[in-house]
Amino acid sequence: MPTIEDIAKEAGVSTATVSRVINNSGYVSERTKLRVWHAIKKIGYTPKESARVLAKHKKTYRIAICISERIQKLSQQDNVGQFYGVVVESIRRSSTACGMYPELKLMETVENEYDGYILIGADADLNILKKFRSMKKPFVLVDHYIPGQVIDCIISDGYDGAYYAVSYLIKKGLTRIVHIHAPLNAYGFRSRYDGYLAAMEHGGLMPKTYEYDDIANNMPSVVEMMLRTYGLPHAIFTSNDIAAIRVITELKKRGIRVPEDVSVIGFDDIAWAETFDPPLTTLRVFKDEMGVLACNRLRDLIMGINPHPVRISLFTRFIKRKSSI
Amino acid sequence: MPTIEDIAKEAGVSTATVSRVINNSGYVSERTKLRVWHAIKKIGYTPKESARVLAKHKKTYRIAICISERIQKLSQQDNVGQFYGVVVESIRRSSTACGMYPELKLMETVENEYDGYILIGADADLNILKKFRSMKKPFVLVDHYIPGQVIDCIISDGYDGAYYAVSYLIKKGLTRIVHIHAPLNAYGFRSRYDGYLAAMEHGGLMPKTYEYDDIANNMPSVVEMMLRTYGLPHAIFTSNDIAAIRVITELKKRGIRVPEDVSVIGFDDIAWAETFDPPLTTLRVFKDEMGVLACNRLRDLIMGINPHPVRISLFTRFIKRKSSI
DNA sequence: CCCCCTTATGTAAGCGCTTACATTCTTCCA
DNA sequence: TGGAAGAATGTAAGCGCTTACATAAGGGGG
């Protein structure tokens, strides 16, 4: 594997000159440039990314991890923030591994004084986006994607997971499967919803969905509504684990047993899911990986590597526990 | 930004020992391990990825770039292979930048003697996949994705681009917009098809699609069929540039002018697109970036970094030229 | 003709980590 | 109780690149 030294030797110059040619920096005569490019072509050399990064990294970049005020409040209040807490923690760790120094900020108020930004969650709407675009600094969205918008983002694809889980229930012989979901303006929830629909259609079953808008207070009435208008389903698939837990709590109050009377499947695999009674069957979202990928991507963006926008979707994993058949 | 040396100092050991603790290798007493972990926690240290990669990289990995026999034949025959040629070239360059040594192979016959594999194109079907899974070596798919399959892949999302292009035509006042497409078993073409459908639906227009199965010989009859059953549309959106070029050629033969009589939009932005007469309006697929991302991903996989599967979708860019309004 | 500025190139010191090798300290059995 | 084997730790040489600094050569104004 050729190194810069091989090129230097071949071209009869020093490694410094080769580096200058490659980076198009400093003074190099045209004649020398040509000789170096020839040597590079001839030997088939490409500089190693890791060595460049290491050598260049005198400066550590300052980045802002941005959450919304809403999320911040929720995360103080109760377990809703669990999900984002894990993501933030992962970003924190990973960003220093990428040579970036992170600070936690609110996306509504953060100033244009960082080298890059990571925006977490669906509250990063078009307005917020506009603000960040106008700052002319690289940023990546985590756990959110706005169809039609060209932005770097890291998401966990709900479609595949939802499709898999619902298909699993169908394969077990269940037919009356309900989806209780969050508002669909967030792509994450939308894709889970779509996956549910696709699986039901593929199984030749009638889908039935109920939406809640306030996860903290809405669940009793949603469950009530479902029981009144639809009766007891064979299974309930929810947008996320918190919703699943709330639903199960409501069912328990009414003496309905999980999973004997009805299977419940959540989404996310938050820490609670495993210790809840019954332990929750769910789809694991790899929150750590999301953070790591976000940092890597932002680092690339800041350094100008692979600047073309991408959407990175993590696959989820079905975790079978006791809350479902 | 803390380094391994800071930890060593804090814990009162050498950097070698810290490294051993981090990598859980060699001999370290429990007592020392504990001290080191404490120091790491206290200082908030995370090892820099690039330094590790550089230091570890004594060995260069051998990888195989795999295409199908079909693609290989096509690429010799004419411009159909243009697309894949660019991708392969990019992978070649980029893989050596990642410290990997690439060889070009056929996916049907390649042996299990490489450290990793890059499979290009939609011919990597479930059978091929099974073979590669059984080899127990990391691999990534390029320009292909099989819904429901958990595999690392790099794709160019056709949905957004198609949606954008068709919406553009609609915004210009066109209503009779036809999609001429390749077989839909390949995800790439399927997503372009879906994007077309979505845009038409959103615009309240009747979609009309025609499928060809042999891009080299089918086009005259497809165009013939379209003109007979549908008449002359306002615009034709095709699955890819080659198809667009063939379609335009057919139209020209009949004295139909592009774009005066009908707009044509392709997909891919192959080299030909710009020099064709008329220059093709199209959606640029960032083929170079696909190669780069594939190599980065494979390198990570081989080194065991971020081992959880992801799907990376590149956005496309609308390139307005003369073949359309 | 000398000085200084600009251009062109080389030298070598890191960047932060891993690891081969050297060294020291324990065991424990002949 | 000597010493060999094994365990624990340290030393220092890289990995492949960038870049500050040193050096050298050409060129124009006083």
Side-chain angles (χ1 to χ4, degrees), chain B residues 157-217:
Chain B
D157 194 324
Y159 185 93
D160 283 340
Y163 188 94
Y164 184 91
V166 175
S167 299
Y168 166 88
L169 293 172
I170 296 174
K171 229 176 285 162
K172 289 283 183 181
L174 308 191
T175 55
R176 293 168 49 78
I177 306 172
V178 165
H179 183 38
I180 295 183
H181 62 85
L184 297 178
N185 51 337
Y187 178 80
F189 296 137
R190 153 75 61 182
S191 66
R192 295 167 193 189
Y193 178 92
D194 287 344
Y196 162 79
L197 248 40
M200 292 299 275
E201 184 179 356
H202 185 250
L205 301 177
M206 271 299 279
K208 183 71 186 175
T209 62
Y210 292 91
E211 176 168 337
Y212 60 82
D213 42 80
D214 178 0
I215 196 172
N217 307 310

Side-chain angles (χ1 to χ4, degrees), chain A residues 18-19 23 46 70 73 98 181 204 211 214 252 284 321:
Chain A
V18 176
S19 177
N23 296 288
T46 336
R70 196 181 64 86
K73 271 187 203 131
C98 294
H181 63 87
E211 175 167 337
D214 178 359
K252 277 182 182 166
R284 177 173 300 162
R321 298 209 186 88

Side-chain angles (χ1 to χ4, degrees), chain B residues 13-14 16-17 20 27 29 32 54-55:
Chain B
V13 296
S14 72
T17 300
R20 285 187 199 107
Y27 292 117
S29 72
T32 311
L54 183 59

Side-chain angles (χ1 to χ4, degrees), chain B residues 20-178:
Chain B
R20 285 187 199 107
V21 171
I22 288 169
N23 296 288
N24 202 17
S25 66
Y27 292 117
V28 186
S29 72
E30 287 308 317
R31 226 169 50 88
T32 311
K33 269 185 193 166
L34 227 61
R35 278 224 312 284
V36 170
W37 282 123
H38 276 147
I40 289 177
K41 272 270 178 292
K42 180 176 168 192
I43 300 199
Y45 163 77
T46 336
K48 307 284 166 295
E49 215 43 81
S50 47
R52 304 184 77 166
V53 171
L54 183 59
K56 268 204 172 128
H57 231 312
K58 321 272 170 181
K59 183 186 165 196
T60 85
Y61 300 103
R62 290 179 61 223
I63 67 167
I65 307 175
C66 305
I67 59 173
S68 66
E69 283 169 4
R70 195 181 65 87
I71 296 288
Q72 192 197 29
K73 273 189 203 130
L74 282 179
S75 67
Q76 288 161 353
Q77 169 192 333
D78 79 344
N79 293 277
V80 181
Q82 272 216 11
F83 183 93
Y84 291 113
V86 175
V87 175
V88 167
E89 204 36 57
S90 157
I91 294 177
R92 225 186 219 127
R93 247 197 326 276
S94 180
S95 57
T96 74
C98 293
M100 309 189 297
Y101 181 79
E103 283 174 53
L104 192 57
K105 291 283 168 183
L106 291 179
M107 57 177 75
E108 290 87 351
T109 58
V110 63
E111 308 238 358
N112 188 2
E113 57 182 2
Y114 296 89
D115 299 311
Y117 298 83
I118 296 181
L119 312 191
I120 303 180
D123 293 327
D125 58 15
L126 284 176
N127 275 329
I128 298 279
L129 232 57
K130 208 158 125 191
K131 161 181 169 174
F132 279 89
R133 283 212 169 104
S134 73
M135 302 202 309
K136 306 279 178 203
K137 296 282 179 59
F139 66 94
V140 342
L141 248 53
V142 173
D143 196 42
H144 190 40
Y145 159 57
I146 306 175
Q149 294 294 316
V150 176
I151 325 164
D152 278 277
C153 53
I154 317 288
I155 58 176
S156 188
D157 194 324
Y159 185 93
D160 283 340
Y163 188 94
Y164 184 91
V166 175
S167 299
Y168 166 88
L169 293 172
I170 296 174
K171 229 176 285 162
K172 289 283 183 181
L174 308 191
T175 55
R176 293 168 49 78
I177 306 172
V178 165

Side-chain angles (χ1 to χ4, degrees), chain A residues 41 47 55 84 101 110 120 126 133 151 155 183 220 228-229 242 261 272 290-291 312 319:
Chain A
K41 272 271 179 288
Y84 291 112
Y101 180 79
V110 63
I120 303 180
L126 285 175
R133 283 211 169 105
I151 325 163
I155 58 176
R228 214 177 50 235
T229 61
I242 302 287
D261 301 327
W272 249 29
M290 292 181 82
I312 303 181
I319 306 287

Side-chain angles (χ1 to χ4, degrees), chain A residues 46-50 54 93 96-97 145 149 151 157 160 286 289 292 296 306 308-313 315, chain B residues 46-49 53-54 93 96-97 145 149 151 157 160 286 289 292 296 306 308-313 315:
Chain A
T46 336
K48 308 281 165 297
E49 215 43 81
S50 48
L54 182 59
R93 248 196 325 277
T96 74
Y145 160 57
Q149 294 293 315
I151 325 163
D157 194 324
D160 282 340
F286 292 82
E289 302 264 351
V292 175
N296 286 344
N306 305 152
H308 196 73
V310 297
R311 181 174 68 240
I312 303 181
S313 326
F315 290 94
Chain B
T46 336
K48 307 284 166 295
E49 215 43 81
V53 171
L54 183 59
R93 247 197 326 276
T96 74
Y145 159 57
Q149 294 294 316
I151 325 164
D157 194 324
D160 283 340
F286 292 82
E289 301 265 351
V292 175
N296 286 344
N306 305 152
H308 195 72
V310 297
R311 180 173 68 239
I312 303 183
S313 327
F315 290 94

Side-chain angles (χ1 to χ4, degrees), chain A residues 25-314:
Chain A
S25 67
Y27 292 115
V28 186
S29 72
E30 288 306 318
R31 226 170 50 87
T32 311
K33 267 185 195 166
L34 228 60
R35 278 224 312 285
V36 170
W37 282 123
H38 276 148
I40 289 177
K41 272 271 179 288
K42 180 176 169 194
I43 301 201
Y45 164 76
T46 336
K48 308 281 165 297
E49 215 43 81
S50 48
R52 305 184 76 165
V53 171
L54 182 59
K56 267 207 172 123
H57 231 313
K58 320 272 166 179
K59 183 186 164 195
T60 85
Y61 300 103
R62 291 179 59 223
I63 68 168
I65 306 174
C66 304
I67 59 172
S68 66
E69 283 169 2
R70 196 181 64 86
I71 296 286
Q72 191 197 32
K73 271 187 203 131
L74 282 178
S75 67
Q76 287 162 356
Q77 169 192 327
D78 79 345
N79 294 278
V80 180
Q82 270 214 13
F83 183 92
Y84 291 112
V86 175
V87 176
V88 167
E89 203 37 55
S90 157
I91 294 178
R92 226 186 220 127
R93 248 196 325 277
S94 180
S95 56
T96 74
C98 294
M100 309 188 296
Y101 180 79
E103 283 174 53
L104 193 59
K105 290 283 167 182
L106 292 178
M107 58 176 77
E108 290 88 351
T109 58
V110 63
E111 308 237 357
N112 187 2
E113 57 181 4
Y114 297 88
D115 300 310
Y117 298 83
I118 295 180
L119 312 191
I120 303 180
D123 293 327
D125 58 16
L126 285 175
N127 277 329
I128 298 279
L129 232 56
K130 208 157 123 190
K131 163 181 167 174
F132 279 89
R133 283 211 169 105
S134 73
M135 301 203 309
K136 306 278 175 202
K137 296 280 181 57
F139 66 94
V140 341
L141 247 52
V142 173
D143 196 39
H144 189 38
Y145 160 57
I146 306 176
Q149 294 293 315
V150 176
I151 325 163
D152 278 277
C153 54
I154 317 287
I155 58 176
S156 189
D157 194 324
Y159 186 92
D160 282 340
Y163 188 95
Y164 184 92
V166 175
S167 299
Y168 167 86
L169 293 172
I170 295 173
K171 227 175 285 164
K172 288 285 183 181
L174 308 191
T175 55
R176 294 168 48 78
I177 305 172
V178 165
H179 182 38
I180 296 183
H181 63 87
L184 296 179
N185 52 335
Y187 178 79
F189 296 136
R190 154 73 63 181
S191 65
R192 295 167 195 190
Y193 178 91
D194 288 343
Y196 161 79
L197 248 41
M200 291 298 276
E201 185 179 354
H202 185 252
L205 301 178
M206 271 298 280
K208 183 72 186 177
T209 62
Y210 292 90
E211 175 167 337
Y212 61 83
D213 41 82
D214 178 359
I215 196 172
N217 308 308
N218 242 195
M219 221 46 79
S221 57
V222 169
V223 171
E224 177 63 36
M225 159 91 78
M226 176 190 73
L227 293 173
R228 214 177 50 235
T229 61
Y230 185 85
L232 191 63
H234 294 152
I236 301 172
F237 170 57
T238 63
S239 266
N240 59 44
D241 287 345
I242 302 287
I245 285 172
R246 297 254 152 93
V247 166
I248 292 178
T249 306
E250 284 307 308
L251 294 173
K252 277 182 182 166
K253 277 186 200 160
R254 290 170 172 74
I256 301 171
R257 296 163 306 162
V258 176
E260 290 81 356
D261 301 327
V262 53
S263 287
V264 176
I265 296 186
F267 212 115
D268 283 348
D269 195 26
I270 59 174
W272 249 29
E274 192 166 7
T275 55
F276 188 70
D277 174 39
L280 225 52
T281 295
T282 189
L283 289 141
R284 177 173 300 162
V285 167
F286 292 82
K287 312 162 202 70
D288 288 358
E289 302 264 351
M290 292 181 82
V292 175
L293 290 168
C295 289
N296 286 344
R297 184 68 194 139
L298 187 58
R299 192 236 302 118
D300 281 2
L301 249 25
I302 291 177
M303 296 197 161
I305 305 174
N306 305 152
H308 196 73
V310 297
R311 181 174 68 240
I312 303 181
S313 326
L314 277 135

